[in-house]
Amino acid sequence: MGIVVDHDERQREILIKALKLFGERGYPDVTYQQLAAVCGLSRTTLYKYFQNKRQIFGNAIMYQVSVIGHRFQESIKSNPDLNASEKLNLVLSQAIDLLFRSRHLLQAIVEYLINQRRQEQPVARKIRRHTVAFRRTLKKLVQEGIETGLFRVTDPDLATNLLYGLMESASLRVTLIEDADRDELQRLCRLMIQSMEK
């Protein structure tokens, strides 16, 4: 009797191991052969799941984003008594913690995006695709704050863009500045949210 392979589980394991390798070595320094080796697969077997390194990288980032999005949603659901401002603070605080825990992976992502721009490839769509769930979460919470009368802002899109822009800035700080201050970034997020309150 042959070995039964759970292909969905194997694909998930490939993405998890690939994320770790990209975080340790950076996107440019990882080869397809190294990806196969770290996954315990031959190149031929890995090709059955992903055609190239870029596809593995993109899918690995999407996988990580979906895991993070699920965690944010679970945090919000498990704290139903929090108001919109408190939920926003919780989500942004978790996001900042994640940035600091994933510093090497962030560096790999930035290297990849810079390399894409050097090759005159568009990156805005890629970034949007990987951040759409986070933006939706922010907008949903801003709208909740407006609807419950907690926030004075009237344009949820503008408020969402401001919060998202703050997180973009935090991402770059954590990626590029050795002594980025987690507490300062969390204070900035709290201050931004307080400025939206009545």
Short mmCIF file of all heavy atoms in Angstrom, two decimals, residues 73-138:
data_model
loop_
_atom_site.label_atom_id
_atom_site.label_comp_id
_atom_site.label_asym_id
_atom_site.label_seq_id
_atom_site.Cartn_x
_atom_site.Cartn_y
_atom_site.Cartn_z
N GLN A 73 -8.73 38.77 13.95
CA GLN A 73 -10.18 38.56 14.06
C GLN A 73 -10.53 37.81 15.35
O GLN A 73 -11.52 38.12 16.01
CB GLN A 73 -10.70 37.80 12.83
CG GLN A 73 -10.64 38.59 11.54
CD GLN A 73 -11.43 39.88 11.61
OE1 GLN A 73 -12.51 39.95 12.18
NE2 GLN A 73 -10.88 40.94 11.03
N GLU A 74 -9.73 36.80 15.68
CA GLU A 74 -9.98 36.04 16.92
C GLU A 74 -9.82 36.94 18.14
O GLU A 74 -10.59 36.82 19.10
CB GLU A 74 -9.04 34.83 17.01
CG GLU A 74 -9.40 33.72 16.05
CD GLU A 74 -10.80 33.19 16.26
OE1 GLU A 74 -11.17 32.89 17.42
OE2 GLU A 74 -11.55 33.08 15.26
N SER A 75 -8.84 37.82 18.12
CA SER A 75 -8.64 38.74 19.25
C SER A 75 -9.85 39.64 19.42
O SER A 75 -10.29 39.89 20.55
CB SER A 75 -7.40 39.62 19.03
OG SER A 75 -6.25 38.85 19.06
N ILE A 76 -10.37 40.14 18.32
CA ILE A 76 -11.54 41.02 18.37
C ILE A 76 -12.76 40.24 18.87
O ILE A 76 -13.48 40.70 19.75
CB ILE A 76 -11.80 41.64 16.99
CG1 ILE A 76 -10.67 42.61 16.64
CG2 ILE A 76 -13.15 42.36 16.97
CD1 ILE A 76 -10.68 43.08 15.20
N LYS A 77 -12.96 39.03 18.34
CA LYS A 77 -14.12 38.22 18.74
C LYS A 77 -14.03 37.80 20.21
O LYS A 77 -15.06 37.70 20.88
CB LYS A 77 -14.22 36.98 17.86
CG LYS A 77 -14.70 37.27 16.46
CD LYS A 77 -14.73 36.01 15.63
CE LYS A 77 -15.05 36.31 14.19
NZ LYS A 77 -14.95 35.13 13.33
N SER A 78 -12.83 37.54 20.69
CA SER A 78 -12.69 37.08 22.08
C SER A 78 -12.76 38.23 23.08
O SER A 78 -12.73 38.00 24.29
CB SER A 78 -11.38 36.30 22.25
OG SER A 78 -10.27 37.13 22.04
N ASN A 79 -12.86 39.46 22.60
CA ASN A 79 -12.99 40.64 23.46
C ASN A 79 -14.19 41.48 23.02
O ASN A 79 -14.05 42.65 22.67
CB ASN A 79 -11.71 41.49 23.39
CG ASN A 79 -10.51 40.79 23.99
OD1 ASN A 79 -10.42 40.66 25.20
ND2 ASN A 79 -9.63 40.30 23.15
N PRO A 80 -15.40 40.88 23.05
CA PRO A 80 -16.57 41.59 22.51
C PRO A 80 -16.97 42.82 23.31
O PRO A 80 -17.68 43.69 22.79
CB PRO A 80 -17.67 40.52 22.55
CG PRO A 80 -17.25 39.59 23.64
CD PRO A 80 -15.76 39.59 23.60
N ASP A 81 -16.53 42.92 24.55
CA ASP A 81 -16.92 44.06 25.38
C ASP A 81 -16.08 45.30 25.13
O ASP A 81 -16.38 46.37 25.65
CB ASP A 81 -16.85 43.68 26.87
CG ASP A 81 -17.85 42.58 27.21
OD1 ASP A 81 -18.88 42.48 26.53
OD2 ASP A 81 -17.57 41.82 28.17
N LEU A 82 -15.00 45.16 24.36
CA LEU A 82 -14.17 46.32 24.06
C LEU A 82 -14.89 47.24 23.08
O LEU A 82 -15.60 46.79 22.18
CB LEU A 82 -12.84 45.88 23.44
CG LEU A 82 -11.92 45.01 24.29
CD1 LEU A 82 -10.65 44.67 23.51
CD2 LEU A 82 -11.57 45.68 25.61
N ASN A 83 -14.68 48.54 23.24
CA ASN A 83 -15.24 49.47 22.25
C ASN A 83 -14.31 49.54 21.05
O ASN A 83 -13.21 48.95 21.05
CB ASN A 83 -15.51 50.85 22.87
CG ASN A 83 -14.25 51.57 23.31
OD1 ASN A 83 -13.18 51.45 22.70
ND2 ASN A 83 -14.35 52.34 24.38
N ALA A 84 -14.71 50.24 20.03
CA ALA A 84 -13.94 50.29 18.78
C ALA A 84 -12.54 50.84 19.00
O ALA A 84 -11.57 50.36 18.40
CB ALA A 84 -14.69 51.13 17.74
N SER A 85 -12.40 51.83 19.85
CA SER A 85 -11.09 52.41 20.13
C SER A 85 -10.17 51.38 20.79
O SER A 85 -9.00 51.24 20.41
CB SER A 85 -11.26 53.63 21.06
OG SER A 85 -10.03 54.20 21.35
N GLU A 86 -10.69 50.64 21.74
CA GLU A 86 -9.91 49.61 22.42
C GLU A 86 -9.53 48.48 21.47
O GLU A 86 -8.43 47.95 21.53
CB GLU A 86 -10.68 49.08 23.63
CG GLU A 86 -10.87 50.12 24.72
CD GLU A 86 -11.92 49.74 25.75
OE1 GLU A 86 -12.89 49.04 25.40
OE2 GLU A 86 -11.77 50.16 26.91
N LYS A 87 -10.47 48.12 20.59
CA LYS A 87 -10.18 47.07 19.59
C LYS A 87 -9.08 47.52 18.63
O LYS A 87 -8.18 46.75 18.29
CB LYS A 87 -11.44 46.70 18.81
CG LYS A 87 -12.47 45.94 19.62
CD LYS A 87 -13.72 45.71 18.79
CE LYS A 87 -14.84 45.12 19.61
NZ LYS A 87 -16.10 45.01 18.82
N LEU A 88 -9.16 48.78 18.19
CA LEU A 88 -8.10 49.31 17.31
C LEU A 88 -6.75 49.29 18.01
O LEU A 88 -5.74 48.91 17.42
CB LEU A 88 -8.44 50.74 16.87
CG LEU A 88 -9.22 50.90 15.58
CD1 LEU A 88 -9.63 52.36 15.39
CD2 LEU A 88 -8.45 50.40 14.39
N ASN A 89 -6.74 49.71 19.27
CA ASN A 89 -5.49 49.68 20.04
C ASN A 89 -4.97 48.25 20.14
O ASN A 89 -3.76 48.03 20.00
CB ASN A 89 -5.70 50.27 21.44
CG ASN A 89 -5.51 51.76 21.47
OD1 ASN A 89 -4.49 52.27 21.02
ND2 ASN A 89 -6.49 52.47 22.00
N LEU A 90 -5.84 47.29 20.36
CA LEU A 90 -5.43 45.90 20.48
C LEU A 90 -4.82 45.40 19.17
O LEU A 90 -3.73 44.82 19.16
CB LEU A 90 -6.65 45.03 20.86
CG LEU A 90 -6.42 43.53 20.93
CD1 LEU A 90 -5.43 43.17 22.03
CD2 LEU A 90 -7.75 42.81 21.15
N VAL A 91 -5.50 45.65 18.06
CA VAL A 91 -5.02 45.18 16.76
C VAL A 91 -3.69 45.84 16.40
O VAL A 91 -2.76 45.17 15.95
CB VAL A 91 -6.09 45.43 15.66
CG1 VAL A 91 -5.51 45.26 14.28
CG2 VAL A 91 -7.27 44.49 15.86
N LEU A 92 -3.59 47.14 16.59
CA LEU A 92 -2.34 47.84 16.24
C LEU A 92 -1.19 47.42 17.16
O LEU A 92 -0.06 47.28 16.70
CB LEU A 92 -2.55 49.35 16.27
CG LEU A 92 -3.50 49.89 15.19
CD1 LEU A 92 -3.70 51.40 15.35
CD2 LEU A 92 -3.01 49.57 13.80
N SER A 93 -1.49 47.19 18.41
CA SER A 93 -0.46 46.72 19.33
C SER A 93 0.03 45.32 18.92
O SER A 93 1.24 45.06 18.91
CB SER A 93 -1.03 46.67 20.76
OG SER A 93 -0.08 46.16 21.66
N GLN A 94 -0.89 44.45 18.54
CA GLN A 94 -0.51 43.12 18.06
C GLN A 94 0.32 43.23 16.78
O GLN A 94 1.29 42.49 16.60
CB GLN A 94 -1.74 42.26 17.80
CG GLN A 94 -2.44 41.81 19.05
CD GLN A 94 -3.70 41.01 18.73
OE1 GLN A 94 -4.31 41.18 17.67
NE2 GLN A 94 -4.10 40.17 19.65
N ALA A 95 -0.07 44.15 15.90
CA ALA A 95 0.66 44.33 14.64
C ALA A 95 2.09 44.80 14.91
O ALA A 95 3.04 44.30 14.29
CB ALA A 95 -0.08 45.32 13.74
N ILE A 96 2.25 45.72 15.84
CA ILE A 96 3.59 46.21 16.17
C ILE A 96 4.43 45.10 16.80
O ILE A 96 5.60 44.92 16.45
CB ILE A 96 3.51 47.45 17.08
CG1 ILE A 96 3.00 48.64 16.24
CG2 ILE A 96 4.86 47.77 17.71
CD1 ILE A 96 2.61 49.85 17.04
N ASP A 97 3.84 44.33 17.69
CA ASP A 97 4.56 43.19 18.27
C ASP A 97 5.01 42.23 17.17
O ASP A 97 6.14 41.74 17.19
CB ASP A 97 3.68 42.45 19.28
CG ASP A 97 3.51 43.21 20.58
OD1 ASP A 97 4.32 44.13 20.86
OD2 ASP A 97 2.57 42.89 21.33
N LEU A 98 4.13 41.99 16.22
CA LEU A 98 4.45 41.09 15.11
C LEU A 98 5.61 41.64 14.27
O LEU A 98 6.50 40.90 13.86
CB LEU A 98 3.22 40.88 14.23
CG LEU A 98 3.42 40.00 13.02
CD1 LEU A 98 3.68 38.56 13.44
CD2 LEU A 98 2.21 40.07 12.12
N LEU A 99 5.60 42.94 14.03
CA LEU A 99 6.69 43.56 13.26
C LEU A 99 8.04 43.30 13.94
O LEU A 99 9.01 42.96 13.27
CB LEU A 99 6.47 45.07 13.11
CG LEU A 99 5.29 45.52 12.26
CD1 LEU A 99 5.14 47.03 12.31
CD2 LEU A 99 5.41 45.04 10.83
N PHE A 100 8.08 43.47 15.25
CA PHE A 100 9.34 43.26 15.96
C PHE A 100 9.74 41.78 15.97
O PHE A 100 10.92 41.47 15.85
CB PHE A 100 9.24 43.80 17.39
CG PHE A 100 9.50 45.27 17.47
CD1 PHE A 100 8.47 46.18 17.36
CD2 PHE A 100 10.78 45.76 17.64
CE1 PHE A 100 8.70 47.55 17.42
CE2 PHE A 100 11.04 47.12 17.70
CZ PHE A 100 9.98 48.03 17.59
N ARG A 101 8.77 40.88 16.06
CA ARG A 101 9.09 39.44 16.03
C ARG A 101 9.52 38.99 14.65
O ARG A 101 10.23 38.00 14.51
CB ARG A 101 7.88 38.61 16.48
CG ARG A 101 7.63 38.62 17.96
CD ARG A 101 6.67 37.53 18.39
NE ARG A 101 5.51 37.35 17.56
CZ ARG A 101 4.35 37.97 17.70
NH1 ARG A 101 4.18 38.84 18.67
NH2 ARG A 101 3.34 37.73 16.90
N SER A 102 9.07 39.69 13.60
CA SER A 102 9.33 39.28 12.22
C SER A 102 10.31 40.19 11.51
O SER A 102 10.28 40.31 10.29
CB SER A 102 8.00 39.26 11.44
OG SER A 102 7.06 38.46 12.08
N ARG A 103 11.18 40.81 12.25
CA ARG A 103 12.10 41.81 11.68
C ARG A 103 12.89 41.28 10.49
O ARG A 103 13.01 41.94 9.47
CB ARG A 103 13.03 42.29 12.78
CG ARG A 103 13.97 43.37 12.37
CD ARG A 103 14.79 43.85 13.55
NE ARG A 103 14.45 45.23 13.78
CZ ARG A 103 14.56 45.85 14.92
NH1 ARG A 103 14.96 45.21 15.99
NH2 ARG A 103 14.25 47.12 15.03
N HIS A 104 13.43 40.07 10.59
CA HIS A 104 14.23 39.53 9.49
C HIS A 104 13.37 39.23 8.26
O HIS A 104 13.81 39.43 7.12
CB HIS A 104 14.99 38.28 9.93
CG HIS A 104 16.03 38.57 10.97
ND1 HIS A 104 17.14 39.34 10.71
CD2 HIS A 104 16.11 38.22 12.26
CE1 HIS A 104 17.86 39.45 11.80
NE2 HIS A 104 17.26 38.78 12.77
N LEU A 105 12.16 38.75 8.48
CA LEU A 105 11.26 38.51 7.35
C LEU A 105 10.88 39.83 6.68
O LEU A 105 10.83 39.91 5.45
CB LEU A 105 10.01 37.75 7.81
CG LEU A 105 9.02 37.41 6.71
CD1 LEU A 105 9.66 36.57 5.61
CD2 LEU A 105 7.81 36.68 7.30
N LEU A 106 10.65 40.87 7.48
CA LEU A 106 10.37 42.20 6.91
C LEU A 106 11.51 42.66 6.03
O LEU A 106 11.29 43.23 4.96
CB LEU A 106 10.13 43.22 8.02
CG LEU A 106 8.78 43.22 8.70
CD1 LEU A 106 8.80 44.17 9.88
CD2 LEU A 106 7.69 43.60 7.73
N GLN A 107 12.74 42.44 6.48
CA GLN A 107 13.89 42.83 5.68
C GLN A 107 13.90 42.08 4.36
O GLN A 107 14.20 42.66 3.30
CB GLN A 107 15.18 42.58 6.46
CG GLN A 107 15.36 43.52 7.62
CD GLN A 107 16.49 43.13 8.55
OE1 GLN A 107 16.99 42.02 8.51
NE2 GLN A 107 16.87 44.05 9.42
N ALA A 108 13.56 40.79 4.39
CA ALA A 108 13.51 40.00 3.15
C ALA A 108 12.43 40.54 2.21
O ALA A 108 12.64 40.63 1.00
CB ALA A 108 13.25 38.53 3.47
N ILE A 109 11.30 40.94 2.77
CA ILE A 109 10.21 41.48 1.95
C ILE A 109 10.64 42.80 1.32
O ILE A 109 10.42 43.03 0.12
CB ILE A 109 8.93 41.65 2.79
CG1 ILE A 109 8.39 40.27 3.19
CG2 ILE A 109 7.88 42.45 2.04
CD1 ILE A 109 7.30 40.32 4.25
N VAL A 110 11.26 43.67 2.11
CA VAL A 110 11.71 44.97 1.57
C VAL A 110 12.75 44.75 0.48
O VAL A 110 12.70 45.40 -0.57
CB VAL A 110 12.23 45.88 2.71
CG1 VAL A 110 12.94 47.10 2.15
CG2 VAL A 110 11.08 46.30 3.62
N GLU A 111 13.70 43.84 0.71
CA GLU A 111 14.70 43.52 -0.32
C GLU A 111 14.02 43.06 -1.60
O GLU A 111 14.41 43.47 -2.70
CB GLU A 111 15.65 42.43 0.17
CG GLU A 111 16.63 42.86 1.22
CD GLU A 111 17.41 41.68 1.80
OE1 GLU A 111 17.04 40.52 1.55
OE2 GLU A 111 18.39 41.94 2.51
N TYR A 112 13.04 42.20 -1.46
CA TYR A 112 12.32 41.68 -2.61
C TYR A 112 11.62 42.81 -3.37
O TYR A 112 11.72 42.90 -4.60
CB TYR A 112 11.29 40.63 -2.16
CG TYR A 112 10.35 40.19 -3.25
CD1 TYR A 112 10.75 39.29 -4.22
CD2 TYR A 112 9.05 40.69 -3.30
CE1 TYR A 112 9.89 38.89 -5.22
CE2 TYR A 112 8.18 40.29 -4.30
CZ TYR A 112 8.60 39.39 -5.26
OH TYR A 112 7.74 39.01 -6.25
N LEU A 113 10.93 43.68 -2.64
CA LEU A 113 10.21 44.78 -3.28
C LEU A 113 11.16 45.76 -3.97
O LEU A 113 10.88 46.23 -5.07
CB LEU A 113 9.33 45.51 -2.26
CG LEU A 113 8.16 44.70 -1.71
CD1 LEU A 113 7.48 45.45 -0.57
CD2 LEU A 113 7.16 44.35 -2.80
N ILE A 114 12.29 46.03 -3.33
CA ILE A 114 13.28 46.92 -3.95
C ILE A 114 13.82 46.28 -5.23
O ILE A 114 13.96 46.95 -6.26
CB ILE A 114 14.42 47.25 -2.96
CG1 ILE A 114 13.89 48.16 -1.86
CG2 ILE A 114 15.61 47.89 -3.67
CD1 ILE A 114 14.85 48.36 -0.70
N ASN A 115 14.09 44.99 -5.17
CA ASN A 115 14.57 44.28 -6.36
C ASN A 115 13.53 44.34 -7.49
O ASN A 115 13.87 44.54 -8.65
CB ASN A 115 14.90 42.83 -6.01
CG ASN A 115 15.55 42.10 -7.15
OD1 ASN A 115 16.43 42.64 -7.82
ND2 ASN A 115 15.14 40.88 -7.38
N GLN A 116 12.26 44.19 -7.13
CA GLN A 116 11.19 44.27 -8.13
C GLN A 116 11.14 45.66 -8.77
O GLN A 116 10.96 45.79 -9.97
CB GLN A 116 9.84 43.93 -7.49
CG GLN A 116 9.69 42.49 -7.08
CD GLN A 116 9.64 41.58 -8.29
OE1 GLN A 116 8.70 41.61 -9.06
NE2 GLN A 116 10.66 40.76 -8.46
N ARG A 117 11.29 46.70 -7.96
CA ARG A 117 11.27 48.07 -8.49
C ARG A 117 12.46 48.31 -9.40
O ARG A 117 12.35 48.99 -10.42
CB ARG A 117 11.27 49.10 -7.34
CG ARG A 117 9.95 49.21 -6.64
CD ARG A 117 8.78 49.60 -7.55
NE ARG A 117 9.03 50.86 -8.21
CZ ARG A 117 8.73 51.12 -9.49
NH1 ARG A 117 8.17 50.22 -10.24
NH2 ARG A 117 8.98 52.29 -10.01
N ARG A 118 13.63 47.76 -9.04
CA ARG A 118 14.82 47.92 -9.89
C ARG A 118 14.57 47.30 -11.26
O ARG A 118 15.12 47.76 -12.26
CB ARG A 118 16.03 47.26 -9.25
CG ARG A 118 16.64 48.07 -8.16
CD ARG A 118 17.95 47.47 -7.69
NE ARG A 118 18.45 48.22 -6.57
CZ ARG A 118 18.78 47.71 -5.40
NH1 ARG A 118 18.71 46.40 -5.20
NH2 ARG A 118 19.22 48.47 -4.43
N GLN A 119 13.80 46.26 -11.30
CA GLN A 119 13.46 45.59 -12.56
C GLN A 119 12.23 46.23 -13.21
O GLN A 119 11.67 45.70 -14.15
CB GLN A 119 13.21 44.10 -12.32
CG GLN A 119 14.41 43.36 -11.82
CD GLN A 119 14.10 41.92 -11.45
OE1 GLN A 119 13.11 41.35 -11.89
NE2 GLN A 119 14.96 41.32 -10.66
N GLU A 120 11.83 47.38 -12.65
CA GLU A 120 10.69 48.15 -13.14
C GLU A 120 9.39 47.37 -13.11
O GLU A 120 8.51 47.53 -13.97
CB GLU A 120 10.99 48.72 -14.54
CG GLU A 120 12.18 49.67 -14.52
CD GLU A 120 12.44 50.33 -15.86
OE1 GLU A 120 11.65 50.15 -16.80
OE2 GLU A 120 13.45 51.05 -15.94
N GLN A 121 9.27 46.50 -12.12
CA GLN A 121 8.04 45.76 -11.90
C GLN A 121 7.14 46.57 -10.96
O GLN A 121 7.62 47.20 -10.02
CB GLN A 121 8.33 44.40 -11.26
CG GLN A 121 9.17 43.48 -12.10
CD GLN A 121 8.44 43.04 -13.34
OE1 GLN A 121 7.26 42.73 -13.32
NE2 GLN A 121 9.15 43.02 -14.45
N PRO A 122 5.83 46.56 -11.19
CA PRO A 122 4.93 47.29 -10.28
C PRO A 122 4.83 46.54 -8.94
O PRO A 122 4.69 45.33 -8.92
CB PRO A 122 3.59 47.28 -11.02
CG PRO A 122 3.67 46.11 -11.95
CD PRO A 122 5.12 45.92 -12.30
N VAL A 123 4.92 47.28 -7.85
CA VAL A 123 4.84 46.63 -6.54
C VAL A 123 3.60 47.05 -5.75
O VAL A 123 3.22 46.37 -4.80
CB VAL A 123 6.10 46.90 -5.69
CG1 VAL A 123 7.33 46.30 -6.35
CG2 VAL A 123 6.29 48.37 -5.41
N ALA A 124 2.96 48.14 -6.14
CA ALA A 124 1.82 48.64 -5.37
C ALA A 124 0.71 47.59 -5.28
O ALA A 124 0.14 47.37 -4.21
CB ALA A 124 1.28 49.92 -5.99
N ARG A 125 0.42 46.93 -6.39
CA ARG A 125 -0.63 45.90 -6.38
C ARG A 125 -0.26 44.73 -5.46
O ARG A 125 -1.10 44.20 -4.75
CB ARG A 125 -0.88 45.41 -7.80
CG ARG A 125 -2.18 44.63 -7.93
CD ARG A 125 -2.43 44.15 -9.33
NE ARG A 125 -1.90 42.79 -9.38
CZ ARG A 125 -1.20 42.29 -10.38
NH1 ARG A 125 -0.95 43.00 -11.44
NH2 ARG A 125 -0.76 41.06 -10.34
N LYS A 126 1.01 44.35 -5.47
CA LYS A 126 1.46 43.26 -4.61
C LYS A 126 1.29 43.63 -3.14
O LYS A 126 0.85 42.82 -2.34
CB LYS A 126 2.93 42.92 -4.90
CG LYS A 126 3.14 42.29 -6.25
CD LYS A 126 4.61 42.05 -6.52
CE LYS A 126 4.77 41.53 -7.94
NZ LYS A 126 6.12 41.26 -8.31
N ILE A 127 1.66 44.85 -2.81
CA ILE A 127 1.52 45.30 -1.43
C ILE A 127 0.05 45.33 -1.03
O ILE A 127 -0.32 44.85 0.04
CB ILE A 127 2.19 46.67 -1.23
CG1 ILE A 127 3.70 46.55 -1.41
CG2 ILE A 127 1.86 47.25 0.15
CD1 ILE A 127 4.44 47.86 -1.47
N ARG A 128 -0.79 45.89 -1.89
CA ARG A 128 -2.23 45.95 -1.59
C ARG A 128 -2.81 44.55 -1.39
O ARG A 128 -3.61 44.32 -0.49
CB ARG A 128 -2.98 46.68 -2.70
CG ARG A 128 -2.95 48.19 -2.57
CD ARG A 128 -3.97 48.86 -3.47
NE ARG A 128 -3.79 48.55 -4.87
CZ ARG A 128 -2.97 49.20 -5.70
NH1 ARG A 128 -2.24 50.20 -5.25
NH2 ARG A 128 -2.86 48.84 -6.96
N ARG A 129 -2.41 43.62 -2.25
CA ARG A 129 -2.93 42.25 -2.17
C ARG A 129 -2.59 41.61 -0.83
O ARG A 129 -3.37 40.86 -0.27
CB ARG A 129 -2.37 41.43 -3.32
CG ARG A 129 -2.95 40.04 -3.42
CD ARG A 129 -2.40 39.28 -4.58
NE ARG A 129 -0.97 39.06 -4.37
CZ ARG A 129 -0.11 38.78 -5.32
NH1 ARG A 129 -0.49 38.72 -6.57
NH2 ARG A 129 1.16 38.58 -5.05
N HIS A 130 -1.41 41.93 -0.31
CA HIS A 130 -0.97 41.32 0.94
C HIS A 130 -1.47 42.06 2.18
O HIS A 130 -1.35 41.55 3.29
CB HIS A 130 0.56 41.22 0.97
CG HIS A 130 1.09 40.20 0.02
ND1 HIS A 130 1.29 40.47 -1.31
CD2 HIS A 130 1.45 38.91 0.20
CE1 HIS A 130 1.76 39.39 -1.91
NE2 HIS A 130 1.87 38.43 -1.01
N THR A 131 -2.02 43.25 2.01
CA THR A 131 -2.45 44.02 3.16
C THR A 131 -3.95 44.30 3.18
O THR A 131 -4.44 44.98 4.08
CB THR A 131 -1.70 45.37 3.22
OG1 THR A 131 -1.97 46.12 2.02
CG2 THR A 131 -0.20 45.17 3.39
N VAL A 132 -4.68 43.77 2.22
CA VAL A 132 -6.10 44.09 2.10
C VAL A 132 -6.89 43.66 3.35
O VAL A 132 -7.77 44.39 3.81
CB VAL A 132 -6.71 43.50 0.80
CG1 VAL A 132 -6.75 41.98 0.83
CG2 VAL A 132 -8.09 44.07 0.54
N ALA A 133 -6.58 42.50 3.91
CA ALA A 133 -7.32 42.04 5.10
C ALA A 133 -7.06 42.96 6.29
O ALA A 133 -7.98 43.27 7.06
CB ALA A 133 -6.94 40.60 5.43
N PHE A 134 -5.81 43.41 6.44
CA PHE A 134 -5.49 44.31 7.54
C PHE A 134 -6.22 45.64 7.38
O PHE A 134 -6.80 46.17 8.33
CB PHE A 134 -3.98 44.52 7.62
CG PHE A 134 -3.54 45.37 8.76
CD1 PHE A 134 -3.71 44.94 10.07
CD2 PHE A 134 -2.93 46.59 8.54
CE1 PHE A 134 -3.30 45.73 11.14
CE2 PHE A 134 -2.52 47.38 9.59
CZ PHE A 134 -2.71 46.95 10.90
N ARG A 135 -6.21 46.16 6.16
CA ARG A 135 -6.93 47.42 5.89
C ARG A 135 -8.43 47.27 6.19
O ARG A 135 -9.04 48.17 6.75
CB ARG A 135 -6.75 47.85 4.43
CG ARG A 135 -5.44 48.52 4.14
CD ARG A 135 -5.40 48.87 2.64
NE ARG A 135 -4.22 49.55 2.27
CZ ARG A 135 -4.11 50.88 2.18
NH1 ARG A 135 -5.13 51.63 2.45
NH2 ARG A 135 -2.98 51.43 1.82
N ARG A 136 -9.00 46.14 5.77
CA ARG A 136 -10.43 45.89 6.03
C ARG A 136 -10.72 45.87 7.53
O ARG A 136 -11.74 46.40 7.97
CB ARG A 136 -10.87 44.57 5.41
CG ARG A 136 -11.24 44.68 3.98
CD ARG A 136 -12.00 43.44 3.53
NE ARG A 136 -11.76 43.26 2.12
CZ ARG A 136 -11.34 42.15 1.55
NH1 ARG A 136 -11.09 41.08 2.25
NH2 ARG A 136 -11.15 42.09 0.25
N THR A 137 -9.84 45.24 8.29
CA THR A 137 -10.02 45.19 9.73
C THR A 137 -10.00 46.59 10.32
O THR A 137 -10.86 46.95 11.14
CB THR A 137 -8.93 44.30 10.38
OG1 THR A 137 -9.02 42.98 9.86
CG2 THR A 137 -9.09 44.26 11.90
N LEU A 138 -9.02 47.39 9.91
CA LEU A 138 -8.95 48.76 10.40
C LEU A 138 -10.21 49.54 10.03
O LEU A 138 -10.79 50.23 10.88
CB LEU A 138 -7.71 49.47 9.83
CG LEU A 138 -6.34 48.96 10.26
CD1 LEU A 138 -5.24 49.75 9.56
CD2 LEU A 138 -6.17 49.01 11.77
#
